[in-house]
Amino acid sequence: MKDLSKALLVPPGSRIKLASIDPSDTCGYDKEAAAGHLEKNLDRLSVLQYLLYAEAARSVLVVLQGIDAGGKDGAIRDVMTGLNPQGVKVTSFKVPEGAEKRHDYLWRIHRALPEFGQLGIFNRSHYEDVLVVRVHNLVPKDVWSQRYDQINAFERMLAENGTRVVKFLLYIDKEEQARRFNQRIEDKTKNWKFSTADVKEREYWDDYIAAYQDMLRRCSTHHAPWYVIPANKKWFRNLALSQILRAELENMNLKFPKPTADLSGIHFE
Ligand code: ADP
């Protein structure tokens, strides 16, 4: 099996040109073989999550970003399907409102973090504050441009205190987005997903690409790496996410905690 953790990692400090990545790439996998690998990954993820929960001393935060219709919701559904809901916390970040607007941009992020023992999933994240905020000039440049360093410091603090942060950019091309928008229009069961705001955002495609590239360059670190997932093909997206997440959890060397009592002489009839 090709090591997708290596192939799709954004090496810290590197300058990735998204145009040089093929969003339809499958890194040599075919759909049939991928289905078998996915199943194995999901089985193993379930065991690893059990260990994370039992250990209850560290947590994992999965950050998902991507252009509209990039497949964030589908990825959560397809890759997290075998996990125990008790140990999973999914948070979707929308336009800040209420108390969120009356605090710094990391306040709502910190509040939403998984507890130790949990796997947290962010559907959008603090990176919106250097993406949509930058593309639409929602704050001045001198404010958003400081956020890359702030985010790195925040994620480093998390890493040093027991939270492994793993970040995925789901990367589709404009043609695939058009196909998915059209499906949302044609398929009555998907009409609810269609939003005219998404169509407006499509006009800013190139600005988003520039913002993604800076985000990857500035914020892929050893303590919180970014991975770019070619996501035109959903089956490959699922395979890549499951495989990388599995490898990340394996690297944590999770262990059952020691029993709280000497169990050797205890037996119930
Ligand atoms: P989604 O597209 O994630 O399924 P929505 O259609 O409700 O859900 O979109 C959420 C919107 O909130 C997106 O357009 C996103 O850019 C926006 N958003 C998220 N965080 C922020 C932020 N910090 N500042 C401004 N807009 C944000």
Side-chain angles (χ1 to χ4, degrees), residues 49-70:
Q49 184 211 8
Y50 185 68
L51 273 166
L52 180 74
Y53 193 75
E55 190 194 71
R58 290 176 287 172
S59 57
V60 175
L61 175 66
V62 174
V63 169
L64 285 175
Q65 287 290 161
I67 207 100
D68 294 314

Side-chain angles (χ1 to χ4, degrees), residues 68 73 93-96 108 123-124 128-129 132-133 138:
D68 294 314
D73 295 301
F93 292 97
K94 313 279 183 188
V95 180
R108 64 175 183 164
N123 183 347
R124 305 185 186 272
E128 291 293 320
D129 292 281
V132 66
V133 166
L138 301 181

Side-chain angles (χ1 to χ4, degrees), residues 96 99-111 129 147 150 154:
E100 296 175 338
K101 277 206 295 207
R102 298 193 295 273
H103 289 86
D104 68 88
Y105 70 102
L106 289 174
W107 179 78
R108 64 175 183 164
I109 302 300
H110 212 156
R111 276 164 59 96
D129 292 281
R147 290 182 172 166
Q150 292 163 359
F154 174 68

Side-chain angles (χ1 to χ4, degrees), residues 14-40:
S14 63
R15 243 171 228 277
I16 295 267
K17 280 261 168 254
L18 285 170
S20 70
I21 296 176
D22 175 5
S24 296
D25 193 11
T26 63
C27 295
Y29 285 91
D30 65 62
K31 193 173 176 180
E32 223 165 288
H37 292 310
L38 175 67
E39 203 181 312
K40 286 205 187 81

